[in-house]
Amino acid sequence: MPELRFEERLECLQMMLPEEVVPPDPTIEIAGLSDANAAEMVALTDLAFPGFFRRRTCEMGSYYGVRSDSELIAMGGERLMLEGYSEISGVCTHPAHRGKGLAASLIWRLVRDHCRDGLVSWLHVAAANRRALDLYLRLGFEVVRTVTLQRIGRNPAA
């Protein structure tokens, strides 16, 4: 299709949390996010993985965030829903606030929701993103398969 162009190939690992993993209780204040927060959600995710989170992505599921002095500094939510499974997505932390356990707390919040609703938590992570991959493995996620995502875009109108 001449109106579309290939932009990027991303090698990912698909991971799943075994059902016997019990999420810990929250240790930080986590707030729900909505489409009213879309602009700041896009700005935060653009620091971590530009272009993969768009203005309406947050409409695909529940999203949560952590704030510091009213600034959104960490977030995570849901994207793809399959029967019995909910994908954790958009997990990111502002670079100035990494290493404080914010991403783990957000992931556990989502996992608690999934457990309550009888859903299995799963996610995708870029194979080259060692920091995120190490976090997910520490939380108990297991690699299920490798997948290749192809990012395409529209060509500008001629």
Side-chain angles (χ1 to χ4, degrees), residues 10-150:
L10 185 63
E11 298 299 323
C12 293
L13 300 174
Q14 190 174 82
M15 303 180 79
M16 187 176 309
L17 189 64
E19 294 180 49
E20 64 272 5
V21 174
V22 178
D25 289 330
T27 58
I28 62 170
E29 186 175 336
I30 296 174
L33 299 173
S34 70
D35 59 348
N37 307 109
E40 62 184 331
M41 294 167 76
V42 170
L44 179 59
T45 57
D46 276 351
L47 293 173
F49 36 88
F52 279 94
F53 192 96
R54 297 204 165 83
R55 181 164 188 3
R56 296 192 63 200
T57 303
C58 61
E59 296 175 14
M60 299 177 84
S62 296
Y63 278 83
Y64 297 100
V66 177
R67 295 186 178 280
S68 175
D69 296 326
S70 75
E71 177 189 4
L72 184 64
I73 60 168
M75 62 170 271
E78 301 165 314
R79 189 176 53 172
L80 301 176
M81 302 289 206
L82 305 171
E83 187 173 329
Y85 299 85
S86 183
E87 181 192 26
I88 295 175
S89 184
V91 177
C92 60
T93 303
H94 189 285
H97 297 276
R98 290 183 180 151
K100 300 176 182 177
L102 304 177
S105 293
L106 288 160
I107 291 165
W108 286 132
R109 170 58 208 235
L110 290 159
V111 170
R112 279 192 300 281
D113 289 356
H114 297 165
C115 288
R116 176 197 67 214
D117 297 338
L119 301 171
V120 175
S121 301
W122 63 289
L123 55 82
H124 290 103
V125 60
N129 188 346
R130 287 305 314 176
R131 184 180 184 102
L133 180 56
D134 289 345
L135 169 65
Y136 301 142
L137 290 169
R138 273 194 320 273
L139 297 180
F141 282 85
E142 298 174 351
V143 176
V144 177
R145 69 184 50 88
T146 300
V147 296
T148 301
L149 303 179
Q150 306 261 353

